[in-house]
């Protein structure tokens, strides 16, 4: 008889030999970087704007009409008691028109997001590994570019056609335009948040009418705050647009009031932060 096969303790603890590794399996695509996503989506928005120049044109018509009407009608009237000395009404009101254009351009950020939500592009992007905030950031940047184009056109029209001659010089005029664009970008986040939650163009436009026109007229845009009625003066002094208009006007005209730039930046920054958070929360809701 043959001896029974026995296993030693070493045999029982021995591990099986490793097998040859096979070919690696397919890996899931994790998507591009967030910076790359923002770049691609911004380019998409800008190309859409370039193929539809009416968007920029119609957005420019309103501030240009306001500029021409105000300067041609009110420039012939007497200045109120607290009007800056040696400043024409054109020089006084053009920075306010730029801020008004910034607010209008900010509103278009929300309208553009509503269009993206309705035309199906957002549903397609959600099937890809794309960060939700990438589309929102791209929308805000493309709106900033549109606002910059409009600011340049308004300044060129004011200088060449109406004779706008800011005393602050090219450097301070550029700083004034830069502050205007910053305000446009920050306010754009508030309207992007509104678009993410409302998801309809009509309520967006109604909200803009309710918010923009009272804020513009109850400010230092067209008349110095000290020349407003007492009750309206109180509203203008707490109006965030008053700080923005005073700062851009002071920089462009080299008059006192540039210290309002710091409150304008801080208030605008808070609006942008709150708007960005609200926009992301609203955008993540089911379509």
């Amino acid at each position: 008889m043959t001896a029974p096969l026995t296993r030693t303790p070493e045999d029982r603890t021995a591990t099986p030999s490793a097998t040859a590794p096979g070919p690696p399996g397919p890996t899931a695509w994790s998507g591009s970087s967030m910076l790359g996503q923002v770049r691609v989506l911004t380019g998409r928005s800008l190309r859409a704007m370039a193929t539809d120049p009416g968007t920029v044109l119609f957005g420019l018509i309103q501030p240009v009409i306001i500029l021409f009407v105000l300067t041609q009608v009110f420039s012939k009237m007497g200045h109120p008691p607290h009007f800056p000395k040696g400043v024409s009404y054109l020089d006084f009101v053009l920075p306010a028109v730029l801020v008004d254009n910034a607010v209008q351009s900010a509103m278009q950020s929300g309208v553009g997001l509503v269009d993206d939500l309705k035309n199906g592009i957002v549903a397609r992007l959600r099937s890809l590994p794309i960060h939700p905030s990438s589309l929102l950031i791209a929308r805000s940047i493309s709106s900033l570019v549109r606002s910059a184009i409009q600011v340049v056109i308004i300044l060129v029209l004011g200088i060449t056609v109406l004779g706008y001659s800011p005393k602050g010089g090219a450097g301070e005029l550029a700083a004034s335009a830069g502050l205007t664009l910053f305000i446009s970008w920050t306010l754009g986040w508030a309207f992007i948040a509104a678009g993410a939650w409302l998801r309809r163009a009509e309520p967006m436009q109604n909200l803009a009418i309710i918010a923009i026109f009272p804020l513009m007229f109850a400010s230092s845009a067209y008349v110095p705050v000290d020349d407003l009625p007492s009750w309206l003066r109180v509203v203008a002094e707490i109006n965030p647009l008053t700080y923005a208009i005073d700062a851009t006007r002071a920089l462009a005209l080299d008059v006192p009031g540039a210290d309002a730039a710091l409150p304008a930046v801080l208030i605008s920054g808070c609006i942008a932060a709150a708007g960005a958070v609200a926009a992301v929360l609203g955008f993540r809701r089911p379509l």
Side-chain angles (χ1 to χ4, degrees):
M1 293 178 64
T2 58
L5 181 61
T6 60
R7 299 180 65 185
T8 63
E10 289 79 2
D11 294 333
R12 288 193 297 267
T13 59
T15 57
S17 59
T19 59
T27 58
W29 179 57
S30 59
S32 60
S33 65
M34 186 170 180
L35 182 60
Q37 296 173 12
V38 172
R39 178 180 59 81
V40 172
L41 293 173
T42 301
R44 169 192 166 272
S45 298
L46 292 177
R47 286 191 296 271
M49 182 179 67
T51 57
D52 185 16
T55 303
V56 179
L57 178 62
F58 289 128
L60 183 67
I61 288 177
Q62 180 176 343
V64 169
I65 291 177
I66 292 176
L67 176 63
F68 276 84
V69 170
L70 288 176
T71 55
Q72 297 303 310
V73 173
F74 293 103
S75 61
K76 305 302 181 181
M77 301 176 63
H79 292 166
H82 297 91
F83 198 86
K85 302 297 182 183
V87 175
S88 67
Y89 192 75
L90 170 64
D91 295 342
F92 180 84
V93 80
L94 195 141
V97 172
L98 292 179
V99 173
D100 177 67
N101 174 76
V103 177
Q104 298 288 342
S105 180
M107 182 198 68
Q108 292 300 320
S109 301
V111 175
L113 179 61
V114 170
D115 291 339
D116 287 339
L117 290 168
K118 293 177 65 176
N119 62 22
I121 183 63
V122 173
R124 293 193 293 269
L125 292 177
R126 283 187 173 182
S127 64
L128 301 174
I130 295 178
H131 198 280
S133 60
S134 297
L135 181 61
L136 303 180
I137 296 174
R139 175 58 58 185
S140 70
I141 295 176
S142 62
S143 176
L144 178 64
V145 173
R146 180 177 61 246
S147 180
I149 295 173
Q150 293 172 342
V151 165
V152 171
I153 294 176
I154 293 173
L155 286 176
V156 170
L157 288 176
I159 294 173
T160 58
V161 178
L162 298 177
Y164 177 57
S165 57
K167 297 181 180 179
E172 293 189 353
L173 180 61
S176 175
L179 179 58
T180 301
L181 293 177
F182 177 75
I183 293 168
S184 175
W185 178 76
T186 55
L187 291 178
W189 279 106
F191 285 101
I192 289 175
W197 285 95
L198 296 175
R199 299 188 176 183
R200 291 177 57 197
E202 293 82 2
M204 282 288 304
Q205 295 172 352
N206 293 333
L207 176 64
I209 294 174
I210 294 173
I212 293 174
F213 285 97
L215 287 176
M216 285 300 300
F217 284 97
S219 69
S220 60
Y222 309 118
V223 177
V225 173
D226 293 335
D227 292 314
L228 294 174
S230 57
W231 67 271
L232 193 57
R233 188 185 314 156
V234 175
V235 178
E237 289 175 349
I238 62 176
N239 186 350
L241 290 183
T242 297
Y243 295 99
I245 294 168
D246 287 347
T248 55
R249 180 179 289 141
L251 289 171
L253 303 182
D254 194 20
V255 297
D259 53 350
L262 180 58
V265 170
L266 293 178
I267 294 173
S268 299
C270 293
I271 293 175
V277 173
V280 172
L281 294 176
F283 187 72
R284 286 178 172 175
R285 294 184 304 147
L287 294 175

